[in-house]
Amino acid sequence: MRISAANLPDLSYLQLNRARNVFYQLTPAELVEAALQRNEGVLADTGALAIDTGEFTGRSPKDRFIVDDDITRNNVWWGKVNLKFDAARFDALLQKVTDYLADKDIFVRDSSACANEKYRMDIRVVTETAYQSLFVHHLFLRPEVIDTGFMPEWTIIAAPGFKADPEADGTRQHNFSIINFTKKMILIGGSGYTGEIKKGIFSVLNFILPHDEKVLSMHCSANTGAKGDTAIFFGLSGTGKTTLSADPERNLIGDDEHGWSDYTVFNFEGGCYAKCVDLTAEKEPQIFNAIKFGALLENINFVKGTRTVDFSNIDKTENTRVAYPIHNICNAVTPSIADAPKNIFFLTADAFGILPPVSRLTPEQAMYHFISGYTAKVAGTEAGVTEPKATFSACFGEAFLPLNPVTYAELLGAKIKKHNVKVWLINTGWTGGAYGVGKRMQLKYTRAMISAALNGGLDNVKYAEHPVFNLQMPLHCPDVPDNLLDPRNTWANRDAYDEKANDLAILFIKNFEQYAPYCNSAIISAAPNVVVTT
């Protein structure tokens, strides 16, 4: 049912006042009902809405563009991540998309990003589907009062049914996600994957906050203890970022995107977008219990003949997801803001079994490892991967960084020094050998190491220096066997360990070559040692 014109926002600036029906600021219940009526999805037995995103079940990084204009031309780090798009072609494509939506129902939602009011960004999101609007309700910050006079700073238009003509429109293929900093718009087409909406705004904040406000934008989770001690967890997929930050003894600030101003850490978002492959109540009780009426499940499968989700079934994709508002987590901080961190954890799943399970970093080492963003993929996680494969993603989120990664690392280093933050590298990967020979570090030991770091249990123990990576390894950690703390001691063949450690160091150095020209000597000196053999 169309809402009366008096209660609609002004969409004339988008030429979308021509749309057939405009549904503004619907509640989650209304959006679920609309999605079911439009055959966008079905209800799981928990009451969650289950939908399929269609052709794309994940982001398409090669189809993400930034308009080349006076704002971006000399500031964006152009290359394999940030692809240029012509301003005139953006205008033409925007016209095509709004023409496409002119005879359709559209869903309009006004929201914002950044829990710290000083940096709040007001956002309007126009979507072709009800489920996308439900996603926006969950992931962005929700206004307490609906105001049809709201004028957004940024606008997103998401039209999954519109397909571009690459030759005419300047895209790579029929799907696209384009950021225009002059018009303050994000245009998404050809893909129903909701993550494109979320990461579009994250990319915008990753440009604006560090560049204009000197706020460090971070792809991380964060929590805080009873004494107000904030901890930040960086890590790529599969390293344990969500698992290790979801601590019943601590309060969740957020699970994915944060800013660090002078004295606060604040969530950009109002919800969570969690992977749910192999999800169980035992392994991830907070996420499992958050999947109730109103939550949005993406690309899952049901147990045959039921509406019970089979979280182990990845026939559609390994990237099964669930979106829900952060208040579905019982110990979430409201508002999602806390003091500057006292501890930072870099999580890596080193499938080569080389890095220590816990080590302490100097500020320069922290900057080096932050820029490197290392983890490893193991056999079976990706087509063609038959043995451990090193993966580097700058700042643990390279795909979303419009600026040179060194910019973010320098901000991180300055804040670490200013606030005297302890930085830890945690290897949640293999011990006693590489994947296929050794075994993965037990979660209970990793949790014990993080607890010790948080409560001061590693402050007054002796440390030894790793001979290749120069990391400070504690010789004792409460509730962890001492023999696990030096990875070399866990290998049956220590000469083999030395050889593989050298090989991994070479990979680090080779990857870092692209950043070295922008780094000072202190950061470069934090590189691992390499023994050159002839």
Side-chain angles (χ1 to χ4, degrees):
M1 182 177 179
R2 187 182 177 93
I3 300 173
S4 66
N7 294 321
L8 286 177
D10 180 9
L11 300 178
S12 59
Y13 74 105
L14 301 173
Q15 300 183 56
L16 286 175
N17 49 324
R18 303 171 292 159
R20 182 174 61 194
N21 288 299
V22 177
F23 298 101
Y24 179 60
Q25 220 74 346
L26 297 190
T27 66
E30 290 171 326
L31 289 168
V32 170
E33 183 179 9
L36 295 174
Q37 290 176 345
R38 293 158 55 91
N39 296 314
E40 293 177 8
V42 298
L43 289 182
D45 60 8
T46 61
L49 177 65
I51 60 95
D52 289 346
T53 59
E55 178 184 0
F56 294 94
T57 57
R59 291 181 307 99
S60 186
K62 293 182 180 179
D63 299 295
R64 169 193 172 276
F65 304 91
I66 296 176
V67 172
D68 177 15
D69 56 27
D70 290 343
I71 296 174
T72 62
R73 189 163 299 122
N74 297 319
N75 292 307
V76 167
W77 199 47
W78 303 108
K80 63 179 182 179
V81 171
N82 300 304
L83 308 173
K84 292 184 180 181
F85 201 83
D86 180 73
R89 280 189 146 168
F90 178 90
D91 292 342
L93 189 55
L94 173 61
Q95 185 65 57
K96 283 187 175 183
V97 172
T98 55
D99 287 346
Y100 165 81
L101 292 173
D103 63 348
K104 294 179 172 56
D105 295 346
I106 60 173
F107 297 83
V108 181
R109 178 157 300 280
D110 289 337
S111 55
S112 62
C114 299
N116 187 326
E117 287 288 328
K118 182 178 179 180
Y119 306 105
R120 191 182 75 179
M121 175 187 289
D122 290 331
I123 304 163
R124 172 167 291 155
V125 187
V126 179
T127 63
E128 184 181 359
T129 66
Y131 81 80
Q132 290 173 302
S133 192
L134 180 63
F135 175 85
V136 173
H137 172 274
H138 294 341
L139 266 295
F140 292 159
L141 296 170
R142 296 162 287 279
E144 294 182 5
V145 178
I146 297 175
D147 178 9
T148 54
F150 175 97
M151 285 306 296
E153 184 177 355
W154 275 79
T155 300
I156 304 173
I157 302 176
F162 176 86
K163 295 187 177 182
D165 177 344
E167 185 173 348
D169 298 324
T171 58
R172 186 181 72 97
Q173 52 184 21
H174 65 262
N175 64 301
F176 54 88
S177 178
I178 310 171
I179 302 172
N180 189 321
F181 281 94
T182 294
K183 291 185 177 294
K184 295 188 175 182
M185 293 184 65
I186 301 173
L187 193 60
I188 301 169
S191 172
Y193 181 65
T194 56
E196 296 284 12
I197 298 172
K198 164 187 164 73
K199 292 305 184 187
I201 285 295
F202 188 41
S203 296
V204 169
L205 291 169
N206 280 333
F207 180 88
I208 293 173
L209 291 180
H211 185 264
D212 297 345
E213 304 286 352
K214 304 308 177 188
V215 171
L216 176 61
S217 53
M218 304 176 292
H219 187 213
C220 68
S221 58
N223 64 26
T224 185
K227 297 180 180 180
D229 56 308
T230 302
I232 291 174
F233 299 79
F234 291 96
L236 300 174
S237 179
T239 60
K241 175 164 64 82
T242 301
T243 300
L244 294 168
S245 64
D247 185 338
E249 301 300 318
R250 297 174 64 82
N251 296 319
L252 182 69
I253 303 168
D255 79 329
D256 196 49
E257 301 174 6
H258 295 82
W260 182 357
S261 63
D262 279 346
Y263 294 100
T264 66
V265 167
F266 57 95
N267 197 346
F268 289 164
E269 302 182 298
C272 303
Y273 189 42
K275 280 192 172 183
C276 51
V277 60
D278 292 328
L279 180 67
T280 66
E282 293 71 31
K283 288 197 301 184
E284 298 283 1
Q286 291 180 313
I287 296 174
F288 191 88
N289 293 327
I291 304 176
K292 49 192 176 184
F293 180 79
L296 180 67
L297 288 162
E298 293 185 355
N299 303 310
I300 54 85
N301 292 280
F302 293 118
V303 175
K304 189 174 181 180
T306 76
R307 288 290 178 85
T308 300
V309 179
D310 182 355
F311 289 112
S312 66
N313 188 321
I314 55 173
D315 288 348
K316 294 174 186 173
T317 177
E318 289 188 8
N319 191 37
T320 53
R321 293 273 182 172
V322 61
Y324 50 85
I326 196 167
H327 57 69
N328 279 20
I329 301 295
C330 61
N331 64 335
V333 176
T334 304
S336 303
I337 187 169
D339 292 338
K342 294 187 180 299
N343 289 277
I344 294 175
F345 297 94
F346 294 160
L347 307 177
T348 180
D350 176 24
F352 299 98
I354 299 301
L355 295 178
V358 57
S359 51
R360 189 174 58 190
L361 308 184
T362 66
E364 291 72 27
Q365 288 174 328
M367 295 165 75
Y368 183 91
H369 283 270
F370 187 61
I371 293 170
S372 298
Y374 165 72
T375 192
K377 296 177 181 177
V378 298
T381 60
E382 190 176 283
V385 178
T386 58
E387 58 184 24
K389 180 181 179 182
T391 300
F392 297 91
S393 180
C395 309
F396 301 97
E398 182 178 33
F400 321 118
L401 305 182
L403 305 176
N404 188 317
V406 177
T407 303
Y408 305 95
E410 288 176 342
L411 262 177
L412 176 71
K415 291 179 181 297
I416 287 171
K417 293 174 182 177
K418 178 177 180 178
H419 296 281
N420 194 28
V421 184
K422 298 172 186 175
V423 185
W424 309 90
L425 181 65
I426 302 291
N427 178 14
T428 64
W430 273 253
T431 182
Y435 174 83
V437 176
K439 60 183 179 181
R440 190 149 192 183
M441 184 64 62
Q442 292 185 48
L443 180 59
K444 67 177 182 179
Y445 293 143
T446 300
R447 288 193 185 279
M449 295 172 204
I450 289 176
S451 294
L454 290 170
N455 64 28
L458 298 179
D459 289 352
N460 298 309
V461 299
K462 292 183 178 180
Y463 283 77
E465 186 170 275
H466 190 278
V468 176
F469 284 85
N470 305 316
L471 306 169
Q472 295 297 308
M473 306 178 295
L475 299 181
H476 176 74
C477 177
D479 300 318
V480 178
D482 289 349
N483 66 308
L484 289 180
L485 297 174
D486 185 340
R488 188 172 185 267
N489 292 338
T490 67
W491 282 50
N493 186 332
R494 296 186 180 184
D495 289 339
Y497 173 86
D498 294 340
E499 180 181 349
K500 293 300 182 183
N502 195 65
D503 290 344
L504 182 59
I506 291 171
L507 295 178
F508 265 81
I509 290 171
K510 183 175 179 60
N511 170 73
F512 205 83
E513 288 174 354
Q514 61 190 307
Y515 310 114
Y518 309 99
C519 294
N520 61 40
S521 58
I523 299 175
I524 295 172
S525 67
N529 306 318
V530 172
V531 177
V532 179
T533 58
T534 57

